[in-house]
Amino acid sequence: EGAREGRREVLLTHGELEILFHEFGHVLHSMLGRTRYQHLSGTRTAMDVVEVPSTLMEYFAWEPAFIKMIGRHHVTGEPIADEVVSALHRGKNMF
């Protein structure tokens, strides 16, 4: 308990984690995009280009090693079980 004392836990569903990373991709695109013309940078560009950084960032939400690195039980601090990570992937590939 000691290391977590005084900290607030962030409880996200996997879907919310995926959305967080997607939106962070838009943030990175806006912050790092450099162009001479304002209307061609960040999120003010063609829709297929706008979604590239966001889609790439979503891959982190599906990477088993990353999920295991950040996924912890909010009370015990126990890492997310391999079975849960496998179930997420099975659900993603179901359809």
Side-chain angles (χ1 to χ4, degrees):
E1 171 96 341
R4 292 192 317 267
E5 199 168 303
R7 288 179 24 195
R8 293 186 59 195
E9 301 297 332
V10 177
L11 303 176
L12 297 174
T13 66
H14 186 261
E16 291 168 335
L17 177 69
E18 189 175 18
I19 291 169
L20 176 68
F21 276 75
H22 178 93
E23 298 305 327
F24 186 65
H26 289 304
V27 170
L28 287 176
H29 192 195
S30 288
M31 288 176 32
L32 301 176
R34 298 283 184 248
T35 182
R36 180 178 299 195
Y37 306 104
Q38 177 186 4
H39 64 282
L40 296 176
S41 69
T43 57
R44 296 183 284 306
T45 184
M47 286 306 291
D48 55 343
V49 174
V50 166
E51 294 302 321
V52 170
S54 299
T55 302
L56 292 175
M57 289 301 296
E58 286 178 22
Y59 281 99
F60 283 100
W62 287 101
E63 176 58 40
F66 182 76
I67 294 171
K68 289 194 64 70
M69 183 175 72
I70 67 166
R72 305 244 175 246
H73 190 277
H74 73 283
V75 174
T76 66
E78 192 174 324
I80 191 168
D82 290 331
E83 298 80 31
V84 175
V85 176
S86 295
L88 284 170
H89 278 273
R90 282 192 308 274
K92 179 182 181 186
N93 298 323
M94 187 179 290
F95 299 101

